[in-house]
Amino acid sequence: MANLKEIKLKISSVKNTEKTTKAMKLVSSAKLTRTRQLSEQSRSYAHKINEVLSDIATRVSKVQDDGNIGRAFVQNSTPKTVDIVFVTADKGLCGGFNVATIKTVGKLINEYEAKGAKVRLRAAGKKGVEFFSFQGKTLEQKTIELSSAPTYEKASDFIKVAVEDFKNELTDKVIIVYNGFLNMLTQEIRVKEILPVGLEKVEIKETTSMLNIEPDDDDEVLKELTDKYIDFNMYYALIDSLAAEHSARMQAMEAASKNAKEKVNSLTVEYNKARQAAITTELIEIISGVEALK
């Protein structure tokens, strides 16, 4: 009978786990709905500001040489120092969501170090901070709770340090790495070089200009717009990563609930067999006792 009690305890424990995973799935689903809407709105703005920046930068580059445009628009194929800004979740239980980002960052580190470049890491998210700290990697910058509750102001403050180092020529390239939301079932690793800004990525039509820039104003316009571009890209990375995190956790909890249900069914079958065996054993003992009395 002790065996039956153990099985019953296991069934009860797995059922409680199933309730928890189902609740977590519902919470992630609700959060995903809100975050996904914000991500889609942010994506539209990110694309538009990228177009505007490329439009202005392309037109300015036609009348000025690279030395006057500024470091933000001068491409560097052989950077000596690279800042990698990466986003992970503050919590686990979301499948391979964090692992995918960490692996990508590790791959980039190896690639740039193989070329002789120094790589500096800036982490947003507890899981990334914990992993690279455990690996003995120095983190130039780290923050927790930003990836789980991002705001534009906090994103701007976080990326500002990397931008200042780039402007002061302490670094030659700034890269953002995160696991983004592709659809309800899929997340996608995204690696974006935000500094220097590439001019060739957006096609600009000569007949349509988004802004008219006077020669005396172009430096100020570029500075303001570049700052907006960088800040918003950091903010969008955080929002997109958060949507992907909720999506990944929702899938992980759904899979966990399914496994728990299958385990309950398996344990129930095992319990019924053990119960039948116990009953059979008792019947045999009773019959044997009756026979012995004859």
Coordinates of all heavy atoms in Angstrom, one line a residue, residues 194-269:
I194 N 24.5 49.4 -35.0 CA 23.9 50.8 -35.0 C 24.9 51.9 -35.1 O 24.5 53.0 -35.5 CB 23.1 51.0 -33.6 CG1 24.0 50.8 -32.4 CG2 21.9 50.0 -33.5 CD1 23.3 51.3 -31.1
L195 N 26.1 51.6 -34.9 CA 27.2 52.5 -35.1 C 28.4 51.8 -35.6 O 28.8 50.8 -35.1 CB 27.6 53.3 -33.8 CG 26.6 54.3 -33.3 CD1 27.1 54.8 -31.9 CD2 26.5 55.5 -34.2
P196 N 29.0 52.3 -36.8 CA 28.5 53.4 -37.6 C 27.2 53.0 -38.3 O 26.9 51.9 -38.5 CB 29.6 53.5 -38.6 CG 30.8 52.7 -38.1 CD 30.2 51.7 -37.3
V197 N 26.4 54.1 -38.7 CA 25.2 53.9 -39.4 C 25.5 53.6 -40.9 O 26.2 54.4 -41.5 CB 24.3 55.1 -39.3 CG1 23.0 55.0 -40.1 CG2 24.0 55.4 -37.8
G198 N 24.9 52.6 -41.4 CA 25.1 52.3 -42.8 C 24.2 53.1 -43.7 O 23.0 53.3 -43.5
L199 N 24.8 53.7 -44.8 CA 24.0 54.6 -45.7 C 23.4 53.8 -46.8 O 22.5 54.3 -47.5 CB 24.9 55.7 -46.2 CG 25.7 56.6 -45.2 CD1 26.5 57.6 -45.9 CD2 24.7 57.2 -44.3
E200 N 23.9 52.6 -47.1 CA 23.5 51.9 -48.3 C 22.3 51.0 -48.1 O 21.9 50.4 -49.0 CB 24.7 51.1 -48.8 CG 25.0 49.8 -47.9 CD 25.6 50.1 -46.6 OE1 26.0 51.2 -46.4 OE2 25.7 49.2 -45.8
K201 N 21.8 50.9 -46.9 CA 20.7 50.0 -46.6 C 19.3 50.4 -47.0 O 18.5 49.6 -47.2 CB 20.7 49.7 -45.1 CG 22.0 49.0 -44.6 CD 21.9 48.7 -43.1 CE 23.2 48.1 -42.6 NZ 23.1 47.8 -41.1
V202 N 19.1 51.6 -47.2 CA 17.8 52.1 -47.7 C 18.0 52.9 -49.0 O 18.8 53.7 -49.1 CB 17.2 53.1 -46.6 CG1 15.9 53.6 -47.1 CG2 17.0 52.3 -45.3
E203 N 17.1 52.5 -49.9 CA 17.1 53.2 -51.2 C 16.4 54.5 -51.1 O 15.2 54.6 -50.7 CB 16.5 52.3 -52.3 CG 17.3 51.1 -52.6 CD 16.7 50.3 -53.7 OE1 15.6 50.7 -54.3 OE2 17.2 49.2 -54.0
I204 N 17.0 55.6 -51.6 CA 16.4 56.9 -51.5 C 16.1 57.4 -52.9 O 16.9 57.4 -53.8 CB 17.3 57.9 -50.9 CG1 17.7 57.4 -49.5 CG2 16.7 59.3 -50.8 CD1 16.6 57.2 -48.5
K205 N 14.8 57.8 -53.2 CA 14.4 58.3 -54.4 C 14.8 59.8 -54.5 O 14.5 60.6 -53.6 CB 12.9 58.1 -54.7 CG 12.5 56.6 -54.7 CD 11.0 56.5 -54.9 CE 10.6 55.0 -54.9 NZ 9.2 54.9 -55.1
E206 N 15.4 60.2 -55.6 CA 15.8 61.6 -55.8 C 14.6 62.5 -55.9 O 14.7 63.7 -55.5 CB 16.7 61.7 -57.0 CG 18.0 61.1 -56.9 CD 18.9 61.7 -55.9 OE1 18.7 62.9 -55.6 OE2 19.7 61.0 -55.3
T207 N 13.5 62.0 -56.3 CA 12.3 62.9 -56.5 C 11.6 63.2 -55.2 O 10.7 64.1 -55.2 CB 11.4 62.3 -57.5 OG1 11.0 61.0 -57.1 CG2 12.0 62.2 -58.9
T208 N 11.8 62.4 -54.2 CA 11.1 62.6 -52.9 C 12.1 62.8 -51.8 O 12.9 61.9 -51.5 CB 10.2 61.4 -52.6 OG1 11.0 60.3 -52.5 CG2 9.1 61.3 -53.7
S209 N 12.0 63.9 -51.1 CA 12.8 64.2 -50.0 C 11.9 64.3 -48.7 O 11.0 65.1 -48.8 CB 13.7 65.4 -50.2 OG 14.4 65.7 -49.0
M210 N 12.3 63.7 -47.7 CA 11.5 63.7 -46.5 C 11.7 65.1 -45.7 O 10.9 65.6 -45.0 CB 11.8 62.6 -45.5 CG 11.5 61.2 -46.1 SD 11.9 59.9 -45.0 CE 11.7 58.5 -46.1
L211 N 12.9 65.6 -45.9 CA 13.2 66.8 -45.2 C 14.1 67.7 -46.1 O 14.9 67.2 -46.9 CB 14.0 66.5 -43.9 CG 13.2 65.9 -42.7 CD1 14.2 65.6 -41.6 CD2 12.2 66.8 -42.2
N212 N 13.9 69.0 -46.0 CA 14.8 69.9 -46.7 C 15.8 70.4 -45.7 O 15.5 71.0 -44.7 CB 14.0 71.1 -47.3 CG 13.1 70.6 -48.4 OD1 13.5 69.8 -49.2 ND2 11.9 71.1 -48.4
I213 N 17.1 70.2 -46.0 CA 18.2 70.6 -45.1 C 19.0 71.7 -45.6 O 19.4 71.7 -46.8 CB 19.1 69.4 -44.8 CG1 18.3 68.2 -44.4 CG2 20.2 69.8 -43.8 CD1 19.1 66.9 -44.2
E214 N 19.1 72.8 -44.9 CA 20.0 73.8 -45.2 C 21.5 73.5 -44.9 O 21.7 72.8 -43.9 CB 19.6 75.1 -44.5 CG 18.3 75.6 -44.9 CD 18.2 76.0 -46.3 OE1 19.2 76.4 -46.9 OE2 17.1 75.9 -46.9
P215 N 22.5 73.8 -45.7 CA 23.9 73.5 -45.4 C 24.3 73.8 -44.0 O 25.1 73.1 -43.4 CB 24.6 74.3 -46.4 CG 23.7 74.5 -47.5 CD 22.3 74.6 -46.9
D216 N 23.8 74.9 -43.4 CA 24.3 75.3 -42.1 C 23.6 74.5 -41.0 O 24.1 74.5 -39.8 CB 24.0 76.8 -41.8 CG 24.8 77.7 -42.7 OD1 25.9 77.2 -43.2 OD2 24.4 78.8 -43.0
D217 N 22.6 73.8 -41.3 CA 21.8 73.1 -40.3 C 22.0 71.6 -40.3 O 21.6 70.9 -39.4 CB 20.3 73.3 -40.5 CG 20.0 74.8 -40.4 OD1 20.7 75.5 -39.6 OD2 19.0 75.2 -41.0
D218 N 22.7 71.1 -41.3 CA 22.8 69.6 -41.5 C 23.5 68.9 -40.3 O 23.1 67.8 -39.9 CB 23.4 69.2 -42.8 CG 24.8 69.9 -43.0 OD1 25.4 70.3 -42.0 OD2 25.3 69.9 -44.1
D219 N 24.5 69.5 -39.7 CA 25.2 68.9 -38.6 C 24.3 68.7 -37.4 O 24.3 67.6 -36.8 CB 26.4 69.7 -38.2 CG 27.6 69.6 -39.2 OD1 27.5 68.6 -40.1 OD2 28.5 70.5 -39.2
E220 N 23.5 69.7 -37.1 CA 22.6 69.7 -36.0 C 21.5 68.7 -36.2 O 21.1 67.9 -35.3 CB 22.1 71.0 -35.7 CG 21.2 71.1 -34.4 CD 22.0 70.9 -33.2 OE1 23.2 71.1 -33.2 OE2 21.4 70.4 -32.2
V221 N 21.0 68.7 -37.5 CA 19.9 67.7 -37.8 C 20.4 66.3 -37.7 O 19.7 65.4 -37.1 CB 19.4 68.0 -39.2 CG1 18.4 66.9 -39.6 CG2 18.7 69.3 -39.3
L222 N 21.6 66.0 -38.2 CA 22.1 64.7 -38.2 C 22.4 64.3 -36.7 O 22.1 63.1 -36.4 CB 23.5 64.6 -39.0 CG 23.3 64.5 -40.5 CD1 24.7 64.5 -41.1 CD2 22.7 63.1 -40.8
K223 N 22.9 65.2 -35.9 CA 23.1 64.8 -34.5 C 21.9 64.5 -33.8 O 21.8 63.4 -33.1 CB 23.8 66.0 -33.8 CG 24.1 65.7 -32.4 CD 24.7 67.0 -31.7 CE 25.0 66.7 -30.2 NZ 23.8 66.3 -29.5
E224 N 20.8 65.3 -33.9 CA 19.6 65.1 -33.3 C 18.9 63.8 -33.7 O 18.4 63.0 -33.0 CB 18.6 66.2 -33.5 CG 19.0 67.5 -32.8 CD 19.0 67.4 -31.3 OE1 18.1 66.6 -30.8 OE2 19.7 68.1 -30.6
L225 N 18.9 63.6 -35.1 CA 18.3 62.4 -35.6 C 19.0 61.2 -35.3 O 18.4 60.1 -35.1 CB 18.1 62.6 -37.1 CG 17.1 61.7 -37.8 CD1 15.7 61.8 -37.1 CD2 16.9 62.0 -39.3
T226 N 20.3 61.2 -35.4 CA 21.2 60.1 -35.0 C 20.9 59.6 -33.6 O 20.8 58.4 -33.3 CB 22.6 60.4 -35.3 OG1 22.9 60.7 -36.6 CG2 23.5 59.1 -35.0
D227 N 20.9 60.6 -32.7 CA 20.6 60.3 -31.3 C 19.2 59.6 -31.2 O 19.1 58.6 -30.4 CB 20.6 61.5 -30.4 CG 22.0 62.1 -30.3 OD1 23.0 61.3 -30.6 OD2 22.2 63.3 -29.9
K228 N 18.2 60.1 -31.8 CA 16.9 59.5 -31.8 C 16.9 58.1 -32.4 O 16.3 57.2 -31.9 CB 15.9 60.4 -32.6 CG 15.4 61.6 -31.9 CD 14.4 61.2 -30.9 CE 13.7 62.5 -30.2 NZ 12.8 62.1 -29.2
Y229 N 17.6 57.9 -33.5 CA 17.8 56.6 -34.2 C 18.4 55.6 -33.2 O 17.9 54.5 -33.1 CB 18.6 56.8 -35.4 CG 19.1 55.6 -36.1 CD1 18.2 54.9 -36.9 CD2 20.4 55.1 -35.9 CE1 18.7 53.7 -37.6 CE2 20.8 53.9 -36.5 CZ 19.9 53.2 -37.3 OH 20.4 52.1 -37.9
I230 N 19.5 55.9 -32.6 CA 20.1 55.0 -31.7 C 19.3 54.7 -30.5 O 19.1 53.5 -30.1 CB 21.5 55.6 -31.2 CG1 22.4 55.7 -32.4 CG2 22.1 54.7 -30.1 CD1 23.7 56.6 -32.1
D231 N 18.7 55.7 -29.8 CA 17.9 55.5 -28.7 C 16.7 54.6 -29.0 O 16.4 53.7 -28.2 CB 17.4 56.8 -28.1 CG 18.5 57.7 -27.5 OD1 19.6 57.1 -27.3 OD2 18.3 58.9 -27.2
F232 N 16.0 54.9 -30.1 CA 14.8 54.1 -30.4 C 15.2 52.7 -30.8 O 14.4 51.8 -30.6 CB 14.0 54.8 -31.5 CG 12.6 54.3 -31.6 CD1 11.7 54.8 -30.8 CD2 12.3 53.3 -32.5 CE1 10.4 54.3 -30.8 CE2 11.0 52.8 -32.5 CZ 10.0 53.3 -31.7
N233 N 16.3 52.5 -31.5 CA 16.7 51.1 -31.8 C 17.0 50.3 -30.6 O 16.7 49.1 -30.5 CB 18.0 51.1 -32.7 CG 17.7 51.2 -34.2 OD1 17.4 50.1 -34.7 ND2 17.7 52.3 -34.8
M234 N 17.5 50.9 -29.5 CA 17.7 50.2 -28.3 C 16.4 49.9 -27.6 O 16.1 48.8 -27.1 CB 18.6 51.1 -27.3 CG 18.9 50.4 -26.0 SD 20.1 49.1 -26.2 CE 19.2 47.7 -25.6
Y235 N 15.5 50.9 -27.6 CA 14.1 50.7 -27.1 C 13.4 49.6 -27.8 O 12.8 48.7 -27.2 CB 13.4 52.0 -27.1 CG 11.9 51.9 -26.7 CD1 11.6 51.6 -25.4 CD2 10.9 52.1 -27.6 CE1 10.3 51.5 -25.0 CE2 9.6 52.0 -27.2 CZ 9.3 51.7 -25.9 OH 7.9 51.6 -25.6
Y236 N 13.5 49.6 -29.1 CA 12.8 48.6 -30.0 C 13.3 47.3 -29.7 O 12.6 46.3 -29.7 CB 12.9 49.0 -31.4 CG 12.2 47.9 -32.3 CD1 10.9 47.7 -32.3 CD2 13.0 47.2 -33.2 CE1 10.3 46.7 -33.1 CE2 12.5 46.2 -34.0 CZ 11.1 46.0 -33.9 OH 10.6 45.0 -34.7
A237 N 14.7 47.1 -29.5 CA 15.3 45.8 -29.3 C 14.7 45.3 -28.0 O 14.4 44.1 -27.9 CB 16.8 46.0 -29.2
L238 N 14.5 46.1 -26.9 CA 14.0 45.7 -25.7 C 12.5 45.2 -25.8 O 12.1 44.2 -25.2 CB 14.1 46.8 -24.6 CG 15.6 47.1 -24.2 CD1 15.6 48.5 -23.4 CD2 16.1 46.0 -23.3
I239 N 11.7 46.0 -26.5 CA 10.3 45.7 -26.7 C 10.2 44.4 -27.5 O 9.4 43.5 -27.2 CB 9.6 46.9 -27.4 CG1 9.5 48.1 -26.4 CG2 8.2 46.5 -27.8 CD1 8.6 47.8 -25.2
D240 N 10.9 44.3 -28.6 CA 10.8 43.2 -29.5 C 11.3 41.9 -28.7 O 10.7 40.8 -28.9 CB 11.6 43.4 -30.7 CG 11.2 42.5 -31.9 OD1 10.1 42.1 -31.9 OD2 12.1 42.2 -32.7
S241 N 12.3 42.1 -27.9 CA 12.8 40.9 -27.2 C 11.8 40.5 -26.1 O 11.6 39.3 -25.9 CB 14.1 41.3 -26.5 OG 14.6 40.3 -25.7
L242 N 11.1 41.4 -25.5 CA 10.1 41.1 -24.5 C 9.0 40.4 -25.1 O 8.4 39.4 -24.5 CB 9.6 42.4 -23.8 CG 8.7 42.2 -22.6 CD1 9.3 41.3 -21.5 CD2 8.3 43.6 -22.1
A243 N 8.5 40.8 -26.3 CA 7.4 40.1 -27.0 C 7.9 38.6 -27.3 O 7.1 37.7 -27.1 CB 7.1 40.8 -28.2
A244 N 9.1 38.5 -27.8 CA 9.6 37.2 -28.1 C 9.7 36.3 -26.8 O 9.5 35.1 -26.9 CB 11.0 37.3 -28.8
E245 N 10.1 36.9 -25.7 CA 10.2 36.2 -24.4 C 8.9 35.6 -24.0 O 8.8 34.5 -23.6 CB 10.8 37.1 -23.4 CG 10.9 36.5 -22.0 CD 11.1 37.5 -20.9 OE1 11.6 38.6 -21.2 OE2 10.9 37.2 -19.7
H246 N 7.8 36.5 -24.1 CA 6.5 36.0 -23.7 C 6.0 34.9 -24.6 O 5.4 33.9 -24.2 CB 5.5 37.1 -23.7 CG 5.7 38.1 -22.6 ND1 6.0 37.8 -21.3 CD2 5.7 39.5 -22.6 CE1 6.2 38.9 -20.6 NE2 6.0 39.9 -21.4
S247 N 6.4 35.0 -25.9 CA 6.0 34.0 -26.9 C 6.7 32.7 -26.6 O 6.1 31.6 -26.6 CB 6.3 34.5 -28.3 OG 6.2 33.4 -29.2
A248 N 8.0 32.8 -26.3 CA 8.8 31.6 -26.0 C 8.3 30.9 -24.7 O 8.2 29.7 -24.6 CB 10.3 31.9 -25.9
R249 N 8.0 31.7 -23.7 CA 7.5 31.2 -22.4 C 6.1 30.5 -22.6 O 5.9 29.5 -22.0 CB 7.5 32.3 -21.3 CG 7.1 31.7 -20.0 CD 7.3 32.8 -18.9 NE 8.7 33.0 -18.6 CZ 9.3 34.1 -18.9 NH1 8.6 35.1 -19.5 NH2 10.6 34.3 -18.7
M250 N 5.3 31.1 -23.4 CA 4.0 30.6 -23.6 C 4.1 29.2 -24.2 O 3.4 28.2 -23.9 CB 3.2 31.5 -24.5 CG 1.7 31.1 -24.7 SD 0.8 32.3 -25.7 CE 1.6 32.0 -27.3
Q251 N 5.0 29.0 -25.2 CA 5.2 27.7 -25.9 C 5.8 26.7 -24.9 O 5.4 25.6 -24.8 CB 6.2 27.9 -27.0 CG 5.6 28.7 -28.2 CD 6.6 28.9 -29.3 OE1 7.0 28.0 -29.9 NE2 7.0 30.2 -29.5
A252 N 6.8 27.2 -24.1 CA 7.4 26.3 -23.1 C 6.4 25.8 -22.1 O 6.4 24.6 -21.7 CB 8.6 27.1 -22.4
M253 N 5.6 26.7 -21.6 CA 4.6 26.3 -20.6 C 3.5 25.4 -21.2 O 3.0 24.5 -20.5 CB 3.9 27.5 -20.0 CG 4.9 28.4 -19.1 SD 5.6 27.4 -17.8 CE 7.2 27.0 -18.4
E254 N 3.2 25.6 -22.5 CA 2.2 24.7 -23.2 C 2.8 23.3 -23.3 O 2.1 22.3 -23.0 CB 1.9 25.3 -24.6 CG 0.9 24.4 -25.3 CD 0.5 25.1 -26.6 OE1 1.1 26.1 -27.0 OE2 -0.4 24.5 -27.3
A255 N 4.1 23.3 -23.6 CA 4.8 22.0 -23.8 C 4.9 21.3 -22.4 O 4.7 20.1 -22.3 CB 6.2 22.1 -24.4
A256 N 5.1 22.1 -21.4 CA 5.2 21.6 -20.0 C 3.9 21.0 -19.5 O 3.8 20.0 -18.9 CB 5.8 22.6 -19.0
S257 N 2.8 21.8 -19.8 CA 1.5 21.3 -19.5 C 1.1 20.0 -20.1 O 0.5 19.1 -19.5 CB 0.4 22.4 -19.8 OG 0.7 23.6 -19.1
K258 N 1.5 19.9 -21.4 CA 1.2 18.7 -22.2 C 2.0 17.5 -21.6 O 1.4 16.4 -21.4 CB 1.6 18.9 -23.6 CG 1.3 17.7 -24.5 CD 1.7 18.0 -26.0 CE 1.5 16.8 -26.8 NZ 1.9 17.0 -28.3
N259 N 3.2 17.7 -21.3 CA 4.0 16.7 -20.7 C 3.5 16.3 -19.3 O 3.5 15.1 -18.9 CB 5.5 17.1 -20.5 CG 6.2 17.3 -21.9 OD1 5.8 16.7 -22.8 ND2 7.3 18.1 -21.9
A260 N 3.0 17.2 -18.5 CA 2.5 16.9 -17.2 C 1.2 16.1 -17.3 O 1.0 15.2 -16.6 CB 2.2 18.2 -16.5
K261 N 0.4 16.5 -18.3 CA -0.8 15.7 -18.5 C -0.5 14.3 -18.9 O -1.2 13.3 -18.4 CB -1.7 16.4 -19.6 CG -3.1 15.8 -19.8 CD -3.9 16.6 -20.8 CE -5.3 16.0 -21.0 NZ -6.1 16.8 -21.9
E262 N 0.5 14.1 -19.8 CA 0.9 12.7 -20.2 C 1.4 12.0 -19.0 O 1.2 10.7 -18.9 CB 1.9 12.8 -21.3 CG 1.3 13.3 -22.6 CD 2.4 13.5 -23.7 OE1 3.6 13.3 -23.4 OE2 2.0 13.8 -24.9
K263 N 2.2 12.7 -18.2 CA 2.7 12.0 -17.0 C 1.7 11.6 -16.0 O 1.7 10.5 -15.4 CB 3.7 13.0 -16.3 CG 4.4 12.4 -15.1 CD 5.4 11.2 -15.6 CE 6.2 10.7 -14.4 NZ 7.1 9.5 -14.8
V264 N 0.6 12.4 -15.8 CA -0.5 12.1 -15.0 C -1.2 10.8 -15.5 O -1.5 9.9 -14.7 CB -1.5 13.2 -14.9 CG1 -2.8 12.8 -14.2 CG2 -0.9 14.4 -14.1
N265 N -1.4 10.8 -16.8 CA -2.1 9.6 -17.4 C -1.2 8.3 -17.2 O -1.7 7.3 -16.9 CB -2.3 9.8 -18.9 CG -3.3 10.9 -19.2 OD1 -4.2 11.2 -18.4 ND2 -3.2 11.5 -20.4
S266 N 0.1 8.5 -17.4 CA 1.0 7.4 -17.2 C 1.0 6.9 -15.7 O 0.9 5.7 -15.4 CB 2.4 7.8 -17.6 OG 3.3 6.7 -17.3
L267 N 1.0 7.8 -14.8 CA 1.0 7.5 -13.4 C -0.3 6.9 -13.0 O -0.4 6.0 -12.1 CB 1.3 8.7 -12.5 CG 2.7 9.2 -12.5 CD1 2.9 10.6 -11.8 CD2 3.7 8.2 -11.9
T268 N -1.4 7.4 -13.6 CA -2.7 6.8 -13.3 C -2.8 5.3 -13.7 O -3.4 4.5 -13.0 CB -3.8 7.6 -14.0 OG1 -3.8 9.0 -13.6 CG2 -5.2 7.1 -13.7
V269 N -2.3 5.1 -14.9 CA -2.3 3.7 -15.3 C -1.4 2.8 -14.4 O -1.8 1.7 -14.0 CB -1.7 3.6 -16.8 CG1 -1.4 2.1 -17.2 CG2 -2.6 4.2 -17.8

